[in-house]
Amino acid sequence: ERLSRAGRRYGDEPDADGSCHRREPREVVRNRARGSCSRALTRGLDGCLFLLSHASWKRLVEKFSQLSIGSSDTRGFNRFMLSGAAEADVDSAGRILIPEHLKEFAGLGQDVILAGVGERAEIWNEARWKSYKEHIESQGDQLAAKLGEAGII
């Protein structure tokens, strides 16, 4: 099994019991040396998983807690993001165990992609990532125009 981030590939040793461990990049393992030994793992958007530090997770949960529970959409999104969340312990080899319900949600199999996105990493089924990336790349000009209209670029 292979794990990729920013064009670099990282190995993965499957366990004898068939459980799914994924090796974290060196940068994440260095953070573990600073006292962070686990991560928050939850359903993400577009069919991926979000992997966050506990500080980033706490900020996200605080933002969600400020939303009104009077809106069905808000309640649904809170349930989507928060109800399936799990703590992902980092082992001595820098790997994490992904719970079965999250592997099923993201369609994870032998080949996965770990994409660094700001304060989080996203874990993708490799085929799903390639399809999504092609779609987004084909819309680069439109996305840039929308960001320009919003004054971001």
Side-chain angles (χ1 to χ4, degrees), residues 1 4 10 39 43 61 72 93 97 105 109 117-118 129 143 145 151-152:
E1 295 179 322
S4 176
Y10 297 88
R39 299 281 179 261
R43 289 182 288 253
V61 170
S72 176
L97 180 63
F105 168 81
V117 184
W129 168 254
L143 295 172
I152 296 171

Side-chain angles (χ1 to χ4, degrees), residues 106-125:
L108 299 182
Q110 290 291 320
D111 297 310
V112 302
I113 299 294
L114 181 67
V117 184
E119 288 191 336
R120 70 179 183 276
E122 295 179 349
I123 303 172
W124 288 81
N125 166 293

Side-chain angles (χ1 to χ4, degrees), residues 24 36 38 40 56 61:
E24 290 187 301
S36 300
S38 64
S56 294
V61 170

Side-chain angles (χ1 to χ4, degrees), residues 72-132:
S72 176
D73 289 342
T74 299
R75 290 190 311 274
F77 192 72
N78 275 326
R79 290 176 186 132
F80 173 78
M81 293 295 293
L82 304 177
S83 68
E87 187 166 326
D89 291 322
V90 181
D91 72 12
S92 61
R95 301 174 301 176
I96 60 171
L97 180 63
I98 299 173
E100 191 63 36
H101 72 281
L102 292 175
K103 286 192 297 186
E104 288 176 14
F105 168 81
L108 299 182
Q110 290 291 320
D111 297 310
V112 302
I113 299 294
L114 181 67
V117 184
E119 288 191 336
R120 70 179 183 276
E122 295 179 349
I123 303 172
W124 288 81
N125 166 293
E126 186 175 38
R128 189 178 289 172
W129 168 254
K130 286 179 180 178
S131 175
Y132 177 78

